[in-house]
Structures are given as C-alpha cells and as structure tokens.
Amino acid sequence: MDTLSLMDTLSAIHVGNGALLENTIKLCKDAYGECEFNIMTFDKVTNRLKYNEDKLYDPMFGNFAIDKNSFHKIFWMLKQLAFMLLQIINEYTFKTSSKKLTFNNNQKQAITLIEKSDICISLGGEMIGDTFFKTLPFYLFNFWIASKKGKKFILFPQSVGPLKKGWTRKLCRWALRDAALLVGRDKPSYETLLSLGFDKDKVMFAPDVAIQQEIGNAEIYNYFNDKTKKIIGITISNPPHREMGQQVDFVQEIGSQIEKLDSNTYKILIMPSNYKLREISADYALCLKLKERLADKFEVAILENRPYFPDEYTALLGQLEFFVSTRMHVAILATTAFTPTIAINTQHKIMGYMKNINMEHFCVEYENLNTIFELSQEIVNTREQVVEDLKAANAKLKKEHEIFVLKLKEIVK
C-alpha cells in the first residue's frame, strides 16, 4: 500500500477546499488503489468530522503567524527563513538528518511525514502565483524538499500564475524542477508552467478535481415555507480584489440585478461557501447583507452558519433553477450538478474554468455586472439546452481525468 502525503490541504470549512481534498483522494484511489493518506491541514477541527483524526497533521509552517502582531510576524518569518536555509545547505552538503535541524514540532513532524511517504501531493489550488507572493516561498520549500528526499512530487490540477515577477518565476523554476508531474487546471496555468521551461513530458492539463464531486442528500425546500416557487441560489464573497484591479460592491451590483426578477415565480437561497468556527466569516457577513436587501421583495433564506461538506452543498445546488456565484469551486460544483450558473470573474481562474466547459458567455467581468439579469433570462428561456451542454462538457472533462489517472499510474512504475 502506497503512503501519500497531501501537503497543503486548506480548511474544509470552505466548501471549495473540501471539494479539493475529497476528490484528490478519489482520483488517487483511482490511480493507486487503497492508500494511506496523511493530510497536512490548516483545520484539523473541521476535517476530523469527515476524516480519520489520526491522519490529520498541522502543516510545516503552521498558520503563517496570521494571528500575531507585526513584530512577532517578522520574528516568525526570520526563524522560518533560517530553518529553510539550514535545510537547503544540509541537502547540498552534509546531508545529516533533516529532523535534527528543525526548530519546532510542526517542522519535525512534516519532515517525518515526507520521509515516510511514497508520493507527496500539492492540492492547494492557487498558491503558485504573484497574488500570494508572501506565502509562496514557504509552499515551494515544501515541494522542493519532498523532491530532494527522493519522493514523487505531484502538483495536482491547480491554477498557476500570474507569475510576472522575476524572483517568483526563478523560485518556482528552482523548487519544481525535480517534480514528477505538474498539472494546470486551465490553459493559462498550463502555459505558465511551460513558460518556466519544464520538460513537456511532466507538464499537462487536467481539469479541477471538483468535477468528480458526488452528490449527497439534502432537501432544499427545508429552508422555505413555500414549496411552489423556483429557487435561485446566490453566493457572494470578498475576493482578493487586487488581482482584478478594483473593488466591487456585490450587494449593490448583484442585488440590483436579482431584484429585476419576478418574486411571484422565484425565491432566493443565499449560499455562503466559506465559514469560520464559532464566528461569522467575511463571506457570511456579506451574504447576510444581500439577504437583508432582497428580503424586501422575495422570500429569502440563507444557509446555516456551519460547515457544509461538498456532497451536501452540491445536493442543494442540483435543485436550483440557476446559480450566481463569485466563488469558483461552488460554481464548479453547480455545473457538475448540471445547474446553469452565472459566474462572476473575481479571479482569473474562474474564467479559466468557464472556458473549460464552453460557458464563458455566462462568466461576467466586473464592468459587465449589469448583464446578470439579461443572462438569467437567457438561461430561463434556454434552460434545457444549457443543461444538455453542461452534461456534454462535464463528460468531456472527465475524459481528461482518465488521461490524468493514467499518467499518475505511470509515475510509480
């Protein structure tokens, strides 16, 4: 039985990250059969609701000191840089035990997991790019040391780029040069990997793993009193606006478009996809504002403030008339359930996915948010055809995953 370490699992309290984890495991099992999975995660509390607690571990660099003040963040960073430099020097010179050169339990535990693994996998989704330049060196170090330890390192389908800074490109080239397989989940990501000069034999395209999501059980009308009207689902978020160059008031912009719909025909389910333990997430707070606005005209409900695993969330998506989303992974889950979706292009990865399924017509740029109502009417009038197109696109993407699984099998021969 192969041992696999999933190196950068985020928090399953976010539906999208839950889908990445669940379906990465699924595809690994398709390729390698039953495996032992060690899951390095930022959120053991939520993941233990679904996965074996004994296989959940803290990441090498913890939570990046996000809960510390500026002084402690600087101290933390210097300490981590010293650890990485020491490990790099050791790998090229003395080659003593890496565990002896660690400064804390997280580092020692992560090194131990890497050393006993057959395959190490990145499933973080979008960390390799200039947008996340502050944490990029730490992620890349994980990937580099896995390769240096002689492990098969695989970058599972994810967004790569934009990489326009000279130092980020050089760092990626250095850290990933010994990887076994690098996979972009859209054409720009695939082309970015090729632009770094990697061998074409170890760079490929494969769609986001979330298209494999299985649908669970959930009754959408439990959220409403009236069971006669059709339901429209909406999620809005506070994305990293710097990537798109501007900020947008989604409550105003999307709310004003939805208000044009007929309240005698439709009711609204607000579907936050990112949560926090024992708190209100920024996404949930924004969705509450949208609920308050739309409640003047529609019957409106909002999902509970609790974790939703992707099978339950997808079951709800599958019962919608259509879905409006500023988040990519829940848009993927909706289209995988064959629900027509209007995606707001809050990050380039969203347009990348919508192009993958030939639905870029329903992917809205910031400057065209006033077209949402018009697109919704197009969906209503041609819904059967849109659903058929989604079924065909999903089947085509799953064929790409068959190729991906074959490549995974080749890696361990």
Side-chain angles (χ1 to χ4, degrees):
M1 180 185 297
D2 291 315
T3 299
L4 280 66
S5 284
L6 308 181
M7 304 185 75
D8 49 9
T9 306
L10 301 174
S11 173
I13 206 166
H14 302 335
V15 176
N17 293 331
L20 284 174
L21 174 56
E22 183 172 328
N23 293 289
T24 294
I25 290 173
K26 180 181 184 299
L27 287 172
C28 286
K29 288 182 176 180
D30 287 347
Y32 306 124
E34 285 303 313
C35 305
E36 179 180 344
F37 291 95
N38 296 315
I39 303 172
M40 301 185 204
T41 174
F42 292 95
D43 179 15
K44 292 192 290 187
V45 174
T46 306
N47 276 317
R48 69 168 61 110
L49 299 174
K50 192 175 182 72
Y51 300 99
N52 184 347
E53 184 174 4
D54 293 337
K55 295 300 179 181
L56 300 176
Y57 302 91
D58 293 314
M60 184 181 292
F61 297 105
N63 67 352
F64 297 111
I66 59 175
D67 54 348
K68 306 295 184 183
N69 60 34
S70 296
F71 172 79
H72 286 96
K73 283 182 179 178
I74 293 171
F75 179 76
W76 176 90
M77 183 181 67
L78 292 174
K79 190 173 181 180
Q80 305 307 319
L81 290 174
F83 159 72
M84 290 190 290
L85 182 60
L86 193 60
Q87 293 289 340
I88 291 168
I89 293 172
N90 181 57
E91 287 298 324
Y92 285 112
T93 55
F94 306 110
K95 295 187 181 297
T96 190
S97 170
S98 296
K99 287 177 282 190
K100 293 180 179 179
L101 305 175
T102 57
F103 297 162
N104 58 48
N105 287 334
N106 283 358
Q107 294 169 355
K108 183 176 292 186
Q109 180 179 261
I111 294 291
T112 300
L113 292 175
I114 290 170
E115 288 182 342
K116 73 177 187 179
S117 297
D118 299 297
I119 302 169
C120 293
I121 290 173
S122 165
L123 64 156
E126 58 174 333
M127 297 306 167
I128 303 177
D130 293 340
T131 303
F132 302 98
F133 70 91
K134 292 181 181 179
T135 55
L136 178 62
F138 303 105
Y139 283 109
L140 290 176
F141 176 80
N142 274 276
F143 309 157
W144 172 83
I145 200 166
S147 296
K148 291 302 290 184
K149 295 292 183 184
K151 310 304 175 180
K152 302 289 187 181
F153 172 72
I154 304 170
L155 191 75
F156 252 57
Q158 56 189 269
S159 297
V160 179
L163 284 170
K164 297 180 180 179
K165 301 178 186 292
W167 72 269
T168 57
R169 292 181 64 82
K170 290 178 182 177
L171 195 61
C172 287
R173 194 179 297 118
W174 171 77
L176 299 173
R177 63 186 178 185
D178 294 322
L181 184 63
L182 303 167
V183 187
R185 64 185 175 191
D186 49 50
K187 185 176 180 181
S189 297
Y190 171 73
E191 290 176 346
T192 297
L193 287 168
L194 288 179
S195 76
L196 293 173
F198 297 124
D199 189 329
K200 287 186 177 181
D201 289 341
K202 70 175 183 181
V203 176
M204 69 178 295
F205 159 78
D208 193 286
V209 299
I211 67 165
Q212 294 286 344
Q213 182 59 51
E214 295 181 357
I215 300 175
N217 297 308
E219 175 50 64
I220 200 166
Y221 282 103
N222 288 341
Y223 293 89
F224 297 95
N225 297 319
D226 180 0
K227 297 188 177 183
T228 61
K229 296 177 183 177
K230 297 175 181 178
I231 303 172
I232 297 164
I234 309 172
T235 191
I236 58 175
S237 58
N238 186 27
H241 292 293
R242 61 184 175 273
E243 182 176 324
M244 307 309 290
Q246 60 180 306
Q247 290 193 342
V248 171
D249 183 346
F250 290 126
V251 173
Q252 164 61 29
E253 297 294 339
I254 294 178
S256 64
Q257 293 293 299
I258 298 300
E259 285 168 345
K260 296 179 182 180
L261 295 167
D262 181 7
S263 61
N264 293 316
T265 304
Y266 302 107
K267 52 191 171 185
I268 312 296
L269 180 61
I270 309 294
M271 304 179 68
S273 63
N274 285 20
Y275 293 82
K276 278 190 175 182
L277 293 172
R278 296 174 293 278
E279 294 182 53
I280 297 288
S281 70
D283 277 23
Y284 201 91
L286 204 60
C287 284
L288 282 172
K289 291 180 180 179
L290 182 61
K291 177 181 183 291
E292 182 179 356
R293 172 175 180 140
L294 295 178
D296 289 339
K297 181 174 181 180
F298 299 92
E299 181 185 356
V300 185
I302 189 169
L303 296 185
E304 301 166 57
N305 184 33
R306 64 166 174 84
Y308 281 77
F309 285 104
D311 56 344
E312 179 185 6
Y313 195 97
T314 307
L316 295 172
L317 290 170
Q319 299 170 66
L320 299 172
E321 182 70 6
F322 64 87
F323 183 49
V324 180
S325 177
T326 64
R327 288 282 185 189
M328 185 187 76
H329 274 107
V330 288
I332 294 176
L333 297 180
T335 56
T336 298
F338 313 132
T339 295
T341 298
I342 299 171
I344 314 303
N345 193 32
T346 56
Q347 292 179 269
H348 73 284
K349 63 182 183 178
I350 297 177
M351 179 61 81
Y353 171 71
M354 294 298 277
K355 286 183 176 179
N356 284 346
I357 59 170
N358 300 316
M359 286 285 162
E360 61 265 37
H361 175 63
F362 294 106
C363 189
V364 182
E365 302 290 354
Y366 281 7
E367 61 268 23
N368 296 322
L369 291 174
N370 61 351
T371 65
I372 291 174
F373 173 73
E374 177 183 336
L375 291 171
S376 74
Q377 296 310 288
E378 185 176 338
I379 286 173
V380 169
N381 293 330
T382 62
R383 192 177 189 281
E384 288 186 9
Q385 184 59 55
V386 174
V387 169
E388 289 305 311
D389 290 344
L390 286 173
K391 289 179 179 178
N394 191 258
K396 182 179 178 181
L397 288 188
K398 285 187 174 180
K399 290 288 185 182
E400 297 283 354
H401 272 175
E402 292 177 10
I403 298 170
F404 175 50
V405 168
L406 288 174
K407 189 71 173 179
L408 292 177
K409 290 179 179 178
E410 289 177 7
I411 288 173
V412 298
K413 285 182 179 179

